[in-house]
Amino acid sequence: DSGVTQTPKHLITATGQRVTLRCSPRSGDLSVYWYQQSLDQGLQFLIQYYNGEERAKGNILERFSAQQFPDLHSELNLSSLELGDSALYFCASSVAPVQDVNTGELFFGEGSRLTVL
Amino acid sequence: DAKTTQPPSMDCAEGRAANLPCNHSTISGNEYVYWYRQIHSQGPQYIIHGLKNNETNEMASLIITEDRKSSTLILPHATLRDTAVYYCIVRGPNDYKLSFGAGTTVTVRA
């Protein structure tokens, strides 16, 4: 158990809909990262927040947005869903805005599996 | 823009050492080598990392060549539970993210 909690674990929805994925980081971790893993793309970095502020952006679509709240949990909002958005969405957390170079560790949750029909 | 090259797959016998190679010929002096693994759609799991020196922990050993252009992750006594995709990642101190490549699919056989 990494200490990172993601909900829901599974989600099935239709094209055009909107969903919200939630992530609770490990206690004390200030950084949250979102990754998308689809069958043909591998693990793709989407976005990172540190203590409520966006710090880095990857290949995140304009239809997707995220935020980190004062209690440090984060939400990833996916709208106007398309079939191609079906994927595993992972959240990870770490203490520092950059990975702690002394441990180099990101702690990943078990993911939210999104299926768009 | 992956900075590492790994073989796509390899097999290993249970109880034997598994040696996973990784090439990172363009690595910079301040960049670390990290290894993560992902067991069947679970969240990736940190294994080990290093800069110049060889490193060992309870999971594995990391051997980095003197020129730092390649490294080897060693699982000393592979078990069936070590079957996973193993990712070798190069990250510098200003990189805010881990960039995952395709990794090596390791299958441990009884």
Side-chain angles (χ1 to χ4, degrees):
Chain A
D1 182 5
S2 67
V4 177
T5 303
Q6 291 188 246
T7 57
K9 289 187 173 13
H10 301 276
L11 188 56
I12 301 174
T13 189
T15 54
Q17 296 298 304
R18 172 190 171 93
V19 299
T20 297
L21 309 180
R22 181 187 171 100
C23 170
S24 294
R26 291 189 321 152
S27 177
D29 283 359
L30 301 178
S31 275
V32 170
Y33 307 74
W34 285 99
Y35 283 81
Q36 178 193 54
Q37 186 173 37
S38 53
L39 283 176
D40 58 348
Q41 292 291 326
L43 274 158
Q44 299 290 318
F45 169 74
L46 295 178
I47 198 163
Q48 184 221 353
Y49 281 84
Y50 173 72
N51 203 21
E53 293 187 5
E54 181 185 307
R55 281 301 176 93
K57 219 170 197 179
N59 301 320
I60 187 167
L61 300 172
E62 286 191 9
R63 300 183 286 108
F64 296 179
S65 64
Q67 56 183 327
Q68 185 179 26
F69 294 86
D71 66 353
L72 301 177
H73 91 272
S74 178
E75 293 181 356
L76 179 66
N77 300 298
L78 315 175
S79 61
S80 302
L81 285 168
E82 302 175 359
L83 296 178
D85 298 327
S86 296
L88 268 169
Y89 291 84
F90 288 105
C91 170
S93 74
S94 69
V95 173
V98 181
Q99 288 172 253
D100 184 344
V101 294
N102 292 322
T103 66
E105 191 165 1
L106 290 189
F107 296 87
F108 283 81
E110 290 305 306
S112 294
R113 182 177 294 278
L114 173 66
T115 302
V116 182
L117 301 176
Chain B
D1 60 343
K3 300 179 182 179
T4 64
T5 303
Q6 299 177 253
S9 64
M10 62 182 295
D11 286 358
C12 176
E14 188 179 22
R16 303 294 295 270
N19 297 296
L20 284 61
C22 179
N23 287 322
H24 30 80
S25 59
T26 61
I27 192 170
S28 300
N30 62 354
E31 290 182 319
Y32 287 75
V33 179
Y34 293 89
W35 284 84
Y36 278 72
R37 73 180 182 183
Q38 186 176 24
I39 298 173
H40 188 57
S41 298
Q42 296 179 18
Q45 177 190 24
Y46 166 83
I47 301 174
I48 199 167
H49 80 287
L51 182 63
K52 296 180 183 178
N53 300 321
N54 298 337
E55 303 287 344
T56 297
N57 62 21
E58 66 278 5
M59 289 183 68
S61 295
L62 174 60
I63 309 297
I64 302 175
T65 59
E66 192 169 344
D67 64 6
R68 302 186 70 238
K69 292 185 177 181
S70 66
S71 60
T72 301
L73 178 74
I74 301 173
L75 308 177
H77 304 288
T79 71
L80 298 179
R81 289 174 293 182
D82 292 322
T83 293
V85 179
Y86 287 78
Y87 299 98
C88 171
I89 300 165
V90 166
R91 186 195 71 84
N94 294 320
D95 291 342
Y96 285 93
K97 63 184 188 295
L98 285 174
S99 296
F100 290 84
T104 297
T105 299
V106 173
T107 303
V108 180
R109 302 190 185 279

